[in-house]
Amino acid sequence: MKKLSYLSTLMVFALFLFGANTLNAQDDTKEQFTEIEGKVIDAETHNDLIFADIVLENSNISTVSNSDGHFALKIPSTYADGHIAISYLGYEKIIIPISDFENHRKISLKPVNTTLDVVQISTTPKDAEAVVLNCLSKKSSLYSNKNTLMTAFYRETIKKRRKNASLSEAVVQIHKQPYDNVKSDYIELVKARKTTNYKRLDTVALKLQGGPFSNLYTDMIKYPEYIFTSETMPMYDFKFDKATKINERLIYVINFKQKANITTPLFYGKLFIDAETYALTNAVYSLNVSNKVLSSEMFVRKKPRKADVYPIETAYRVNYRTKDGKWHYAYSNISLTFKVNWEGKLFNSTYTLNSEMAVTDWEIAESKLAKNRNQILRPTTILTEKASGFSDPRFWGAYNIIEPEKSIESAIKKIQKQLKRT
């Protein structure tokens, strides 16, 4: 169980007293671009579609819709006559010319028919665990075996109950190592901004140990040892769920959870696996935190002596995209909710920590290592606490970012007002 313990310390949030290593970088981007925006909804129910893929065709430029279904995409002037492809698991893909976009346009996606035909039924595997093992064995053939330089946007928030207490954002470059070797990826900080309301956090500062690395390690194809190992695989039950489709391709849906006789906290959730190639397209999962003592030991690095801290809810998500027959890490989201009980206090505090990272562009890199070593992040790095940039609407320049949800948008506006007063 050593690997699982390592996962919990690198991949998730921890509680710290004030004080930590910080890092910050600034960069000016002057490339001309056109910005489009819209909202992705279900054509039948009109519900928001969260984490929909928005991709500029014939390029590696992309983003995802936020928790309100909104998105914005900055497009270089050289692609002004291009098209935007919008896709979502279980829905029909739609392609729209850039020239057709209007502000706050609503884009309706239709659910696809996932009824299997006779041929598909006859060829569907019977052993769900065997499908998962086959999927994990495909990393060398289905995923890039070249050094890849990825530009990504990272956001980290901490909420006390429903109010934002800390907000961090960064543009990073991921130096993605080939999937067929065991070398770990590098992350280089390009630009970042952060603010923290310590009054709202009381006397505890919750910080994300590792920042963007936490999300990068959800790439279970590159880092399978953090969730599925030869030691933990026998501890899980795997079962087929109803199949679905994405981009007209059949997707196996496999549920997994720890066996009833296993007491160690393990994961449970769904794996979405391409039926033809056995590539992992998406994964949505959580950690079993029913055992407060054991789950607290996995998550909490350091805490005040008079506080009892334990997780009450966890959620992880990772999405992949494909181009030219090769799949790559595209997006991940981590959400953790902790309860803090203070000795001698009548009421407890609830904190929710959320981080998300979206790859917005990428290219094959010739060099093997990051060139700017001074800006390379460590898994133990915590982003700077400066609030620089929140007062500048042009802070991100031509970089693509994940559109902020309404509560984050409101928090940013409050920060801007406070900065104007000072």
Side-chain angles (χ1 to χ4, degrees):
M1 304 310 296
K2 186 177 180 180
K3 285 291 185 182
L4 185 62
S5 176
Y6 184 57
L7 163 66
S8 66
T9 56
L10 280 181
M11 204 179 150
V12 300
F13 296 93
L15 286 123
F16 278 84
L17 296 178
F18 301 143
N21 293 329
T22 61
L23 190 60
N24 184 54
Q26 296 291 326
D27 180 54
D28 294 323
T29 306
K30 298 180 180 179
E31 184 179 2
Q32 292 185 345
F33 60 87
T34 299
E35 185 169 6
I36 62 172
E37 57 183 297
K39 182 174 183 176
V40 188
I41 63 172
D42 183 303
E44 296 178 359
T45 65
H46 301 290
N47 291 334
D48 302 335
L49 293 183
I50 304 170
F51 312 135
D53 274 327
I54 294 90
V55 180
L56 175 61
E57 288 206 312
N58 300 314
S59 80
N60 299 324
I61 298 171
S62 59
T63 189
V64 295
S65 61
N66 67 8
S67 59
D68 302 315
H70 288 284
F71 70 88
L73 189 66
K74 295 171 183 175
I75 301 168
S77 55
T78 52
Y79 290 94
D81 297 327
H83 294 74
I84 303 297
I86 301 171
S87 59
Y88 192 84
L89 189 67
Y91 288 77
E92 294 179 2
K93 179 180 178 180
I94 189 172
I95 298 175
I96 303 174
I98 294 172
S99 57
D100 285 359
F101 270 91
E102 299 175 359
N103 288 340
H104 305 292
R105 171 176 177 159
K106 286 188 178 180
I107 299 156
S108 302
L109 300 187
K110 297 178 180 178
V112 297
N113 180 12
T114 55
T115 303
L116 302 184
D117 58 32
V118 176
V119 175
Q120 290 171 333
I121 293 174
S122 64
T123 57
T124 298
K126 305 302 180 185
D127 188 343
E129 182 177 352
V131 172
V132 175
L133 289 171
N134 197 357
C135 170
L136 296 175
S137 71
K138 297 288 186 178
K139 62 189 300 183
S140 297
S141 58
L142 295 180
Y143 298 81
S144 176
N145 290 326
K146 296 181 179 180
N147 294 296
T148 306
L149 184 63
M150 295 178 163
T151 301
F153 178 76
Y154 171 81
R155 179 181 287 124
E156 171 191 328
T157 63
I158 301 173
K159 292 183 180 181
K160 183 180 179 182
R161 297 184 180 91
R162 296 184 179 181
K163 294 183 178 180
N164 283 292
S166 178
L167 173 60
S168 307
E169 296 180 326
V171 170
V172 298
Q173 286 192 322
I174 304 169
H175 296 252
K176 205 85 171 70
Q177 297 288 336
Y179 275 85
D180 62 354
N181 70 34
V182 295
K183 292 182 179 179
S184 297
D185 301 325
Y186 294 86
I187 296 182
E188 180 182 351
L189 183 63
V190 177
K191 215 171 190 185
R193 61 185 187 178
K194 177 172 181 176
T195 185
T196 302
N197 184 341
Y198 286 117
K199 290 182 180 179
R200 188 164 288 164
L201 287 176
D202 298 323
T203 58
V204 176
L206 297 99
K207 298 177 185 285
L208 176 57
Q209 183 79 10
F213 277 98
S214 303
N215 288 75
L216 190 58
Y217 292 148
T218 63
D219 180 359
M220 62 176 68
I221 298 299
K222 177 65 176 175
Y223 302 100
E225 66 270 23
Y226 292 163
I227 181 168
F228 294 127
T229 68
S230 57
E231 182 182 357
T232 61
M233 282 294 288
M235 300 180 183
Y236 285 105
D237 284 324
F238 297 89
K239 294 182 179 179
F240 282 105
D241 204 334
K242 182 181 179 182
T244 186
K245 287 186 178 180
I246 185 169
N247 298 335
E248 300 181 355
R249 297 181 67 89
L250 180 66
I251 304 295
Y252 295 138
V253 181
I254 297 179
N255 296 323
F256 67 95
K257 65 178 181 179
Q258 66 189 80
K259 293 180 177 179
N261 62 323
I262 302 297
T263 57
T264 302
L266 295 178
F267 296 94
Y268 64 94
K270 295 179 183 291
L271 303 174
F272 299 84
I273 299 173
D274 184 271
E276 181 180 342
T277 65
Y278 286 84
L280 181 68
T281 66
N282 305 76
V284 180
Y285 55 104
S286 301
L287 183 72
N288 176 11
V289 293
S290 57
N291 188 317
K292 291 182 181 180
V293 175
L294 291 180
S295 58
S296 177
E297 290 175 357
M298 293 176 66
F299 282 89
V300 180
R301 288 280 196 88
K302 187 176 181 180
K303 67 180 182 66
R305 183 173 56 86
K306 294 185 178 181
D308 183 21
V309 183
Y310 54 91
I312 58 175
E313 189 175 348
T314 73
Y316 303 86
R317 181 187 189 92
V318 60
N319 295 355
Y320 296 85
R321 294 195 190 103
T322 182
K323 186 179 181 185
D324 301 327
K326 294 292 184 179
W327 291 81
H328 64 86
Y329 165 81
Y331 175 82
S332 61
N333 187 298
I334 302 173
S335 181
L336 305 169
T337 301
F338 288 91
K339 186 158 285 187
V340 181
N341 291 328
W342 291 94
E343 184 181 321
K345 287 188 177 182
L346 182 61
F347 300 104
N348 54 40
S349 300
T350 301
Y351 297 93
T352 299
L353 304 93
N354 184 278
S355 69
E356 58 181 337
M357 187 160 67
V359 174
T360 57
D361 201 357
W362 59 271
E363 61 181 332
I364 300 301
E366 297 298 330
S367 59
K368 293 184 178 181
L369 299 176
K371 293 181 180 179
N372 191 354
R373 292 179 177 271
N374 291 332
Q375 296 305 128
I376 294 177
L377 299 178
R378 297 175 179 271
T380 54
T381 300
I382 296 171
L383 292 179
T384 180
E385 300 188 0
K386 279 189 169 183
S388 61
F390 281 105
S391 59
D392 182 4
R394 300 169 298 175
F395 182 77
W396 296 119
Y399 287 112
N400 274 299
I401 69 172
I402 307 168
E403 278 290 276
E405 62 185 35
K406 291 177 181 177
S407 64
I408 294 176
E409 207 169 44
S410 175
I412 291 174
K413 288 178 180 178
K414 289 180 181 178
I415 293 167
Q416 291 172 337
K417 289 180 180 178
Q418 291 170 358
L419 290 172
K420 286 180 180 179
R421 293 193 193 105
T422 58

